[in-house]
Amino acid sequence: MAGDQLRILLVGNGGREHTLAWKLSQSPKVESIHIVPGNGGTAGTSKCQNIPGISQEDFPALVKYAKNNNLNFLVPGPEAPLVAGIMDHFAQHAPSIRVFGPSKAAASMEGSKTFSKDFMLRHKIPTARYANFSDYEQARKHLDEVDYRVVIKADGLAAGKGVVLPGTKAEGQEALKGIMLTKEFGDAGNAVVIEEFLEGEEISILSLSDGMSIVSLPPAQDHKRIGEGDTGPNTGGMGTYAPAPVATKEVLERIEREVLKPTIDGMRQEGFPFRGCLFTGFMITKDGPRLLEYNVRFGDPESQSCLPLLESDLAELIVACCEGTLAKHTLLTSMQSACTVVVAAGGYPGSYAKGTPMTVQEPNQEGTHVFHAGTSLSSDGQLKTSGGRVIASTATGQTLREAVDRAYQGVSAIKFEGMQYRKDIAHRALK
């Protein structure tokens, strides 16, 4: 594999997948990238072709397509196929195709919040106080009795929206009812984690691992709320910047020592080694970093800010993760800053229109990129919206201020009816 040209099957259709396709296509090791199903941006990316006729969840069809087209490498983008066991399916039915991504067992670290919190406890990883519940009545009583502010999390996958931060006990009880009884997040709410609310700034770290070694991209900060000043409902993420200055050298050293290494070692010791991209979300509290969650894939929209800062060959690194040779490689990153501004459909994260015609001009300044997410091309080549988070403008700069200004200049090249975006991305770092 080390000497082979990579013919990649990339699964997904979001901004993360467009960014991965863009970055992987730059590698001389990559011959072609087939994206299932892809979006309006991946359709025009070098070395890439969209394969819209296959479902991301149809593993037998994906195996058949990969074999018929002589593909030799699989990169699953989103969490759902990983949690459903796409890596295990390919290992059984197409063992010659390498997979950059964890096994179904290892993907439980994202697939179940209760599983991951219990793992943190077993391995003494610093996190918030918590309790897990699958019985509504017990959860209701616990919420009544705790004497601290809480966060309520649906146990399963909820597209980044299964976390509620109630301001009062009454709001908490309403949220609990919505998750566990009326099933706002479907089966993801069959169980919940009720944990202590932590004060501080959040950061996200994307790390690559081969199950033994781990290397990380610059720390990013996401903006989850829809409105300026971090107001309104939670979203999948409205923008990011990297590196986040709140993650000092000392903080990053603690994260490596207290969280990343114990996690990779613990997973290996427990029999489900992690190979792929491990996303860790932290709250930087007055007492130091506290782990909020694990995700088992590249973040979205963190990837859009972090990958433009990567100077190493991403294809080389992901092959090394599959071959267990990551320790022989160095992950090099730029000294620049990056900022991503997500443009969403009007009404998001509530109901929103799809199929709205849009125009996007290619950015005319170096270091500015447009990464598509919820976009598609009609049969006549018209670009249209197809999701809530539609598209993003990413820019790099010598300073964070320069990166932010350029990213907003990039937004001006995007036009569609009802578009909305936050005007204050990176406000904590620039205040």
Side-chain angles (χ1 to χ4, degrees):
M1 169 62 79
D4 289 354
Q5 285 287 97
L6 297 183
R7 296 177 297 281
I8 297 172
L9 179 61
L10 173 58
V11 176
N13 64 343
R16 161 186 46 228
E17 287 74 37
H18 187 190
T19 312
L20 284 167
W22 166 80
K23 194 67 181 177
L24 288 167
S25 71
Q26 296 167 15
S27 171
K29 296 185 175 301
V30 172
E31 180 182 311
S32 61
I33 305 172
H34 298 233
I35 308 165
V36 175
N39 62 35
T42 55
T45 301
S46 171
K47 302 182 184 178
C48 295
Q49 59 176 301
N50 287 353
I51 313 298
I54 304 174
S55 164
Q56 300 177 50
E57 284 79 42
D58 190 345
F59 297 168
L62 291 171
V63 166
K64 184 179 178 185
Y65 179 85
K67 286 180 173 177
N68 287 348
N69 289 274
N70 196 27
L71 306 184
N72 58 12
F73 205 88
L74 172 68
V75 179
E79 59 274 17
L82 288 164
V83 171
I86 191 170
M87 182 270 178
D88 310 66
H89 188 90
F90 268 73
Q92 183 178 352
H93 298 284
S96 64
I97 298 174
R98 296 292 183 94
V99 182
F100 176 75
S103 65
K104 184 175 185 176
S108 296
M109 295 291 264
E110 178 167 5
S112 170
K113 296 279 194 299
T114 56
F115 178 87
S116 64
K117 289 293 287 192
D118 289 346
F119 177 91
M120 295 175 208
L121 187 66
R122 286 197 301 278
H123 293 278
K124 299 181 173 58
I125 289 167
T127 188
R129 289 182 282 176
Y130 75 99
N132 300 331
F133 299 95
S134 54
D135 179 84
Y136 168 73
E137 199 53 38
Q138 288 179 357
R140 187 191 65 74
K141 283 180 185 165
H142 175 78
L143 191 54
D144 260 347
E145 291 164 3
V146 294
D147 59 356
Y148 48 81
R149 192 177 165 195
V150 301
V151 179
I152 304 173
K153 298 179 176 181
D155 174 56
L157 298 181
K161 302 190 193 85
V163 177
V164 182
L165 292 83
T168 64
K169 282 272 175 86
E171 284 179 20
Q173 292 292 2
E174 277 304 304
L176 194 61
K177 206 178 288 182
I179 294 171
M180 298 193 82
L181 296 186
T182 56
K183 301 291 185 190
E184 281 176 17
F185 305 114
D187 288 345
N190 289 346
V192 296
V193 177
I194 299 176
E195 69 178 36
E196 177 186 13
F197 175 84
L198 297 174
E199 299 270 4
E201 284 196 46
E202 284 191 47
I203 63 160
S204 308
I205 294 185
L206 305 180
S207 307
L208 307 182
S209 180
D210 62 358
M212 297 288 289
S213 303
I214 188 162
V215 294
S216 300
L217 289 160
Q221 187 168 82
D222 191 9
H223 300 67
K224 283 288 187 191
R225 303 293 187 110
I226 188 68
E228 272 98 32
D230 302 312
T231 55
N234 265 350
T235 69
M238 292 303 294
T240 51
Y241 65 97
V246 69
T248 61
K249 183 171 180 283
E250 291 73 23
V251 164
L252 293 174
E253 284 170 354
R254 282 190 67 175
I255 285 171
E256 176 90 17
R257 184 175 67 248
E258 297 175 12
V259 178
L260 298 181
K261 193 168 187 320
T263 296
I264 294 303
D265 290 348
M267 292 179 77
R268 187 176 66 253
Q269 288 156 11
E270 291 195 19
F272 49 97
F274 188 90
R275 298 182 190 93
C277 178
L278 183 70
F279 170 135
T280 42
F282 293 90
M283 187 70 76
I284 309 303
T285 73
K286 60 180 173 46
D287 300 315
R290 296 289 180 267
L291 182 62
L292 299 174
E293 64 176 353
Y294 293 111
N295 292 324
V296 297
R297 36 69 192 180
F298 284 97
D300 187 343
E302 289 85 358
S303 298
Q304 289 89 312
S305 288
C306 293
L307 288 176
L309 297 176
L310 176 65
E311 293 183 339
S312 301
D313 186 322
L314 179 61
E316 268 187 20
L317 291 170
I318 66 174
V319 167
C321 288
C322 294
E323 295 184 340
T325 58
L326 190 59
K328 297 177 182 174
H329 293 260
T330 305
L331 187 151
L332 300 173
T333 56
S334 163
M335 296 302 291
Q336 292 189 316
S337 289
C339 175
T340 298
V341 179
V342 171
V343 180
Y348 175 82
S351 59
Y352 53 85
K354 292 182 181 178
T356 306
M358 55 190 299
T359 60
V360 180
Q361 292 177 327
E362 276 307 303
N364 56 11
Q365 64 182 0
E366 193 182 346
T368 304
H369 314 281
V370 171
F371 293 121
H372 292 236
T375 72
S376 61
L377 288 172
S378 63
S379 55
D380 63 357
Q382 171 65 54
L383 187 67
K384 295 184 175 183
T385 67
S386 62
R389 291 187 298 164
V390 175
I391 199 164
S393 170
T394 294
T396 54
Q398 294 302 322
T399 64
L400 179 58
R401 177 81 266 169
E402 185 178 49
V404 169
D405 291 346
R406 286 178 172 178
Y408 279 105
Q409 287 167 21
V411 170
S412 65
I414 298 164
K415 301 277 190 293
F416 63 92
E417 189 180 337
M419 61 184 268
Q420 60 166 329
Y421 58 93
R422 280 184 56 165
K423 318 290 192 298
D424 66 344
I425 301 302
H427 67 93
R428 292 186 202 88
L430 296 173
K431 65 190 174 194

